[in-house]
Amino acid sequence: RTIRIGDRTEAIFKAVELFERPILAYRSREEAQPAFWFVVIPKEVYLLGRPHSYVPRDQREPSQSPAGTRWVRRSVRAGQALLFPEDRGVADMQLYARNFHNQLKAKLLRDKVALQIVRETTLTPDFKRSDGRPLRGTQDPATIAWNLCTTAFFKGEGKPWKLASVRDGVCYIGLVFKQDPSGQGGANACCGAQRFLDSGDGVVFRGAMGPWWSPDRKEYHLSRQAAEQLAGIVVAEYTKQRGAPPRELFVHGRAAFSPEEWAGFSAAVPAATNLVGVRIRRTSDLKLFRPGTLPVMRGLAHKATPSRAYLWTTGYIPRLDTYPGWETPNPISVEIVRGEQQIETVLADVLGLTKLNYNACDFSTSMPVTLSFANLASICSTS
């Protein structure tokens, strides 16, 4: 009934609470704690827990929130302070996206609860339509088993695989931005950084909230102070773990770095560290074709200039003797926009980072792990 509440923000928020509360209750009363949780959700929660889900009018359940909810929402969007505790409870709903999967993970992350959400129809694919056909297509049982077992190993703090060759003393930062759904305090976006080491270990850092969106350029950019603060946190954590600052620090972003932004990064990095800014974007302005039925190989690069190249992170994989895709693969654009480094070195690093997304359990991903989490991470709600 909760997931069918007409107000989708309230429905998803309160449906998440139904799963969140028993997990937290178990943590508070039991001494032995699991490394992570499997959360199996039924078909209806999956269908109605997505950002643009819709409940037919004749199936909607009434709101469970107190009267005046609409007024509270308008106040939150206007950045006004709320006096009464019951109003602040309604305001909390506005802090999260209308996404059951992301919201449950974000809320439990505050209590350091790792979990894997699985659709019930994945585990029991014998769900049928009225005409007897399968309810949905699923992967073969071996692939499902591989994904679930790899996930369990990784979230149990194991490393399923590692790169064969890496350069010592290198640190990679993926800079991402998310809109702040509450709009409180005049801050319309928050920034975050996902740091990866040469070992593949990753940590997410939350940066400052602020008006980082530029309507003119249609890009996000930090102020000098915010950039210095964020980079300083990353360098300090690296030094704490490794005993010395990184020899090379690569900052990956989807947009070029403004002079003010780059000055902030530079101020936080020791003089002995080679700081390099790299812009990585998806692109479809160049396609390559090869004779026969197979596409170009994964790992192929075309150097357009000494500092910019196209890199095919998807394509034919000789070791697997297949191309795990449907359409002609598009390259990504990789450009050194700040600092100095050989473009070949940067391309090799980016290609390696496409194999370090342990959550995906795939052979590789199209974007490096430093940026592939950008559309999923709930950095506004968690740190």
Side-chain angles (χ1 to χ4, degrees):
R1 291 196 300 270
T2 300
I3 199 65
R4 292 198 299 269
I5 292 175
D7 184 305
R8 303 314 301 144
T9 298
E10 179 186 354
I12 294 174
F13 184 87
K14 293 195 171 180
V16 165
E17 284 187 334
L18 295 177
F19 286 79
E20 177 189 17
R21 286 173 180 167
I23 293 177
L24 295 181
Y26 182 95
R27 283 177 55 84
S28 65
R29 71 173 183 264
E30 300 292 339
E31 182 177 352
Q33 298 293 328
F36 79 102
W37 294 74
F38 275 112
V39 176
V40 183
I41 60 172
K43 174 173 65 87
E44 191 168 24
V45 171
Y46 170 76
L47 292 175
L48 299 181
R50 294 181 290 179
H52 303 293
S53 59
Y54 174 80
V55 182
R57 187 175 297 276
D58 60 343
Q59 299 178 20
R60 294 177 188 174
E61 295 286 337
S63 171
Q64 300 173 6
S65 297
T69 298
R70 291 185 179 179
W71 174 85
V72 172
R73 289 187 192 136
R74 286 196 297 268
S75 300
V76 170
R77 285 193 286 266
Q80 298 173 355
L82 299 172
L83 178 61
F84 301 106
E86 58 270 24
D87 290 341
R88 289 197 292 272
V90 175
D92 287 344
M93 298 181 189
Q94 317 305 314
L95 299 177
Y96 298 92
R98 297 178 183 178
N99 186 309
F100 179 91
H101 174 279
N102 292 1
Q103 190 175 138
L104 179 61
K105 286 195 169 187
K107 294 178 75 174
L108 287 173
L109 191 61
R110 295 175 303 191
D111 297 280
K112 299 182 180 180
V113 177
L115 54 93
Q116 176 64 38
I117 300 176
V118 185
R119 295 165 63 179
E120 186 181 14
T121 53
T122 299
L123 301 180
T124 51
D126 53 342
F127 280 88
K128 303 292 184 181
R129 302 177 187 268
S130 57
D131 59 2
R133 293 186 301 164
L135 186 65
R136 54 179 281 252
T138 59
Q139 296 170 313
D140 60 276
T143 301
I144 294 174
W146 162 262
N147 290 339
L148 293 178
C149 291
T150 304
T151 293
F153 184 70
F154 169 55
K155 294 188 175 179
E157 300 188 356
K159 291 293 189 300
W161 59 83
K162 65 179 182 178
L163 297 179
S165 59
V166 293
R167 304 194 318 283
D168 186 46
V170 180
C171 180
Y172 307 95
I173 301 175
L175 190 65
V176 299
F177 295 87
K178 284 286 187 179
Q179 288 293 127
D180 176 19
S182 69
Q184 293 175 325
N188 58 15
C190 53
C191 68
Q194 181 158 336
R195 184 213 67 190
F196 277 85
L197 307 181
D198 48 17
S199 62
D201 294 324
V203 180
V204 177
F205 298 92
R206 177 177 172 177
M209 288 192 178
W212 311 134
W213 174 252
S214 172
D216 298 331
R217 302 179 62 180
K218 306 297 182 183
E219 294 177 347
Y220 291 101
H221 290 286
L222 294 172
S223 66
R224 172 170 179 155
Q225 180 181 5
E228 182 176 354
Q229 180 185 25
L230 184 61
I233 294 173
V234 174
V235 172
E237 183 65 21
Y238 182 97
T239 305
K240 179 181 177 181
Q241 291 184 0
R242 295 298 186 92
R247 294 193 298 177
E248 293 184 275
L249 178 60
F250 293 87
V251 184
H252 293 171
R254 299 182 186 275
F257 307 98
S258 67
E260 181 183 15
E261 196 173 28
W262 194 249
F265 289 133
S266 301
V269 174
T273 299
N274 181 31
L275 180 64
V276 182
V278 182
R279 178 168 62 178
I280 303 173
R281 298 177 296 171
R282 299 184 188 275
T283 181
S284 59
D285 58 359
L286 176 65
K287 285 184 180 292
L288 291 184
F289 300 89
R290 60 182 292 191
T293 59
L294 296 173
V296 297
M297 286 197 299
R298 166 181 150 82
L300 179 71
H302 169 61
K303 189 164 71 171
T305 70
S307 62
R308 183 171 65 87
Y310 295 95
L311 175 65
W312 275 262
T313 53
T314 59
Y316 173 67
I317 302 172
R319 183 178 178 183
L320 303 182
D321 193 25
T322 188
Y323 163 51
W326 297 97
E327 300 177 348
T328 302
N330 290 320
I332 61 173
S333 172
V334 180
E335 182 179 6
I336 301 172
V337 293
R338 298 282 179 177
E340 295 183 0
Q341 182 54 272
Q342 295 294 320
I343 187 65
E344 292 83 359
T345 300
V346 173
L347 293 174
D349 288 350
V350 170
L351 189 65
L353 289 168
T354 64
K355 292 185 68 69
L356 289 182
N357 187 356
Y358 299 130
N359 268 327
C361 302
D362 295 328
F363 180 86
S364 62
T365 54
S366 60
M367 293 291 282
V369 68
T370 45
L371 295 179
S372 61
F373 87 119
N375 293 327
L376 301 177
S378 301
I379 56 176
C380 289
S381 305
T382 61
S383 61

